Amino acid sequence: MKFSLFIFCFISALNYAPAQNRTIEVCAKDCEFSSIQKAVNQAQANDSIFIQKGIYKEHNIFINKKSLHLYGEEGSVIDSEYKGYGFKVEATDFSITDLTIKNIEVSYTSDYAAIYLFRCFDFKLKNITLRNAFFGFLIEKSRNGFVLQNDISGTGDSEASSGNAIHLWDSKEIEVRDNHVYNMRDGIYIEFGSNNIFDNNDSHDNMRYGLHFMFSNDNRYSNNSFRNNSAGVAVMFSKRIVMYNNVFKKNWGTASYGLLLKEINDAEIYNNTFEDNTVGITTDGSTRITYRENDFINNGYAVIFIGGSYQNNFIKNNFLYNNFDLSYSGGLNDNSFDNNFWSDYTGYDLDKDGYGDVPYRPVKLFSYLVNNTPESIILLRSLFIDIINFSEKVTPIFTPENLTDQNPLMRKVQW
Amino acid sequence: MNKYIILTFIFISITACDKSAKPINYGEDQCDFCSMGIVQKTHAAQLVTEKGKQHKFDAIECMVNFVKDKSGKFNNATLLVVNYNQPGKMILAESASYLISKNLPSPMGAYLTAFASVSDAEAAQEKLKGEIYQWDNLKKVIKKDIHKIH
């Protein structure tokens, strides 16, 4: 009994402790502070700083090893006036929420960001609006953070003069959710980062990639939408990336993809939609990847294989109305295609088991022609090409013998 | 009349063999080694073969690996790298000095940056630390899987 009383007192004491932390107010006049930097300098650890409505012309606001919670309200705007960073933070257990930051300096040689985090742990960046950002959030050597519900856009002038909206460098265990990023170089970029989660973000009209992984293992991204980027997502030199429930749409252009895989392995790609892209997926030197229950709709090419891509499995995908389902350079392979639905399949199912009785060959002879002579694309939809493709179907010479779907589905996969 | 024909021929023969480096279209061109879009004016590189074929790279390490992959093929090619102190301006790769510093990331993870002169590189080295290399020994240092060192 005595012991539980002690516990009770102890817990109540814990609960009362934070009440001693102050909330410091910052506003244009009649407040304790009119400058955010001065408020930060005066604050004690665990204090909150409330930034009232108004425009604050400040830059390089430095939070050095202090656990603070900065928050604003609608109309709290920090204008950096194109001078350096917005915030520079090196701290543990802190948050910045409900603010607008605008006009970040553009530079070729320095990565100025609206909020720059270095060695930060247990942090939260939420509900922040960035306008005319060069880099949005630049997060280096940090862990255990949340980046939630932010709206980030750049000037969208040219690719070289814009930075990335959310840039993680050498950072781990960070959740990036519900963000809206557009008119930047890359929407979200991860270099040397592991165990991060990217969920439900909307990344569009970016000049390079919607989402970009470099040298980053064990990450996952899901429920995101990538539209109108020069390329939807690029996953490069990374292992064990899980990708599901994403939509890759309208990534058009001569050098454009829905998804680019370069030198990656052991990935899982399922329940994604690739629609209206020049190329749905380009896979270059990527091995042991499972593609399951994806929709490839109305793309120029659904999937292009270049370089050595081995031991990839395509199971239960829908290939619907693509100009080419597959393009393949290189000879023999040990990639497998099984139980997919192909809208171009013209076979029959006499025994009514749901699977076509003749195998489907996803590579058309014409795609070889286009590979070697891109100009020949002008012949697409001509009778001549139909005849060539038909003759190849009857007596396959060019397509590798084992590159067939032995059990093509007669109905679309429902997933 | 004859004069014009000769002039035309001279004009064609001059323009047809244009072996100069064509400017990189930042934001549109792709790296010929790693397929990534070229955006950084501080780290791009370029190779022009003796026949005038252009190869463009988003990072110097990509060009180093590209040349190494096809050893001997590009012996007479013009190799160019961007001068870090004048973003977008190309200089000859052989005459440039290179800094590898963990404090100055490059697009493909080799931390490799080019400078017009040794003194420029040394000035940067003073601030950023790291090692200075010349083109010839760079080929030994840069390996294809350089990022695995990280």
Side-chain angles (χ1 to χ4, degrees), chain A residues 189-194 212-217 219 235-239 241, chain B residues 61 106-111 144-148 150:
Chain A
Y189 185 103
I190 305 94
E191 198 172 18
F192 308 112
S194 58
H212 186 185
F213 294 90
M214 288 285 260
F215 318 121
S216 297
N217 303 334
N219 294 291
V235 183
M236 308 175 93
F237 307 98
S238 302
K239 291 171 187 162
I241 307 282
Chain B
E61 53 264 36
S106 61
M108 295 304 287
Y111 301 92
K144 207 171 178 183
D145 48 0
I146 187 112
H147 51 275
K148 281 176 189 157
H150 187 88

Side-chain angles (χ1 to χ4, degrees), chain A residues 72-91:
Chain A
E73 57 185 336
E74 210 180 322
S76 305
V77 179
I78 293 164
D79 183 354
S80 298
E81 299 179 292
Y82 301 103
K83 294 173 192 160
Y85 297 84
F87 284 93
K88 289 174 89 170
V89 187
E90 183 175 352

Side-chain angles (χ1 to χ4, degrees), chain A residues 14-55:
Chain A
L14 271 186
N15 282 337
Y16 280 109
Q20 293 167 354
N21 297 328
R22 290 190 304 161
T23 295
I24 299 171
E25 290 200 16
V26 180
C27 67
K29 49 186 169 187
D30 302 331
C31 287
E32 210 176 337
F33 294 100
S34 61
S35 143
I36 299 167
Q37 179 72 68
K38 280 182 185 145
V40 166
N41 293 345
Q42 291 298 315
Q44 302 291 317
N46 296 319
D47 281 354
S48 297
I49 295 176
F50 173 55
I51 299 162
Q52 280 194 24
K53 207 156 83 176
I55 294 176

Side-chain angles (χ1 to χ4, degrees), chain A residues 257-294:
Chain A
Y257 325 93
L259 172 60
L260 168 67
L261 306 175
K262 167 87 183 170
E263 310 271 334
I264 75 160
N265 49 49
D266 301 297
E268 281 179 61
I269 301 175
Y270 58 94
N271 293 7
N272 299 290
T273 304
F274 298 86
E275 195 171 352
D276 295 328
N277 303 293
T278 310
V279 179
I281 300 179
T282 298
T283 157
D284 182 356
S286 301
T287 46
R288 293 190 299 278
I289 295 169
T290 311
Y291 302 81
R292 174 167 54 84
E293 293 178 346
N294 299 291

Side-chain angles (χ1 to χ4, degrees), chain A residues 68-194:
Chain A
L68 296 178
H69 299 277
L70 276 77
Y71 63 103
E73 57 185 336
E74 210 180 322
S76 305
V77 179
I78 293 164
D79 183 354
S80 298
E81 299 179 292
Y82 301 103
K83 294 173 192 160
Y85 297 84
F87 284 93
K88 289 174 89 170
V89 187
E90 183 175 352
T92 303
D93 187 18
F94 76 94
S95 64
I96 301 177
T97 54
D98 304 299
L99 271 179
T100 298
I101 305 172
K102 61 180 191 182
N103 302 340
I104 303 302
E105 182 174 356
V106 175
S107 160
Y108 285 123
T109 48
S110 299
D111 296 341
Y112 293 116
I115 297 184
Y116 170 63
L117 306 185
F118 183 72
R119 285 188 206 281
C120 288
F121 305 90
D122 307 307
F123 61 89
K124 185 160 80 176
L125 301 175
K126 190 181 169 189
N127 207 6
I128 297 170
T129 306
L130 304 182
R131 292 286 173 262
N132 293 336
F134 176 48
F135 277 75
F137 302 149
L138 179 55
I139 300 173
E140 295 186 353
K141 291 193 176 288
S142 301
R143 284 177 93 127
N144 267 335
F146 291 90
V147 178
L148 309 170
Q149 295 166 22
N150 302 292
D151 186 307
I152 304 177
S153 66
T155 52
D157 280 352
S158 79
E159 195 156 356
S161 67
S162 62
N164 306 320
I166 300 172
H167 187 129
L168 308 184
W169 189 78
D170 199 3
S171 293
K172 288 176 188 170
E173 285 144 39
I174 291 171
E175 279 189 45
V176 179
R177 268 183 213 284
D178 306 317
N179 298 289
H180 184 198
V181 291
Y182 50 105
N183 290 343
M184 303 291 289
R185 183 198 290 168
D186 285 349
I188 305 172
Y189 185 103
I190 305 94
E191 198 172 18
F192 308 112
S194 58

Side-chain angles (χ1 to χ4, degrees), chain A residues 159 183-187 203-211 226-234 249-260 276-280 282, chain B residues 26-30 35-39:
Chain A
E159 195 156 356
N183 290 343
M184 303 291 289
R185 183 198 290 168
D186 285 349
S203 180
H204 63 89
D205 294 287
N206 293 298
M207 278 158 281
R208 193 169 64 183
Y209 304 129
L211 172 65
F226 305 104
R227 286 171 293 128
N228 275 331
N229 301 297
S230 158
V233 177
K249 216 170 175 179
K250 289 197 171 138
N251 298 296
W252 274 114
T254 46
S256 195
Y257 325 93
L259 172 60
L260 168 67
D276 295 328
N277 303 293
T278 310
V279 179
T282 298
Chain B
Y26 291 91
E28 311 233 319
D29 287 340
Q30 268 189 325
S35 336
M36 213 160 94
I38 306 175
V39 292

Side-chain angles (χ1 to χ4, degrees), chain B residues 50-134:
Chain B
E50 50 183 335
K51 288 177 185 164
K53 187 163 168 42
Q54 314 270 327
H55 293 280
K56 296 165 181 177
F57 307 94
D58 69 324
I60 300 162
E61 53 264 36
C62 280
M63 184 165 80
V64 176
N65 286 323
F66 186 83
V67 174
K68 266 165 76 169
D69 266 12
K70 296 174 183 156
S71 56
K73 201 181 161 193
F74 298 116
N75 280 345
N76 297 318
T78 314
L79 303 169
L80 299 160
V81 292
V82 153
N83 176 10
Y84 182 77
N85 289 339
Q86 286 170 290
K89 193 165 183 299
M90 290 285 176
I91 50 178
L92 284 173
E94 275 98 348
S95 66
S97 294
Y98 300 87
L99 178 71
I100 296 183
S101 162
K102 286 275 169 197
N103 296 314
L104 187 53
S106 61
M108 295 304 287
Y111 301 92
L112 171 63
T113 310
F115 294 88
S117 65
V118 183
S119 56
D120 282 357
E122 279 169 352
Q125 186 189 29
E126 232 165 75
K127 271 189 274 172
L128 302 163
K129 303 201 176 68
E131 296 284 322
I132 293 177
Y133 298 89
Q134 297 303 312

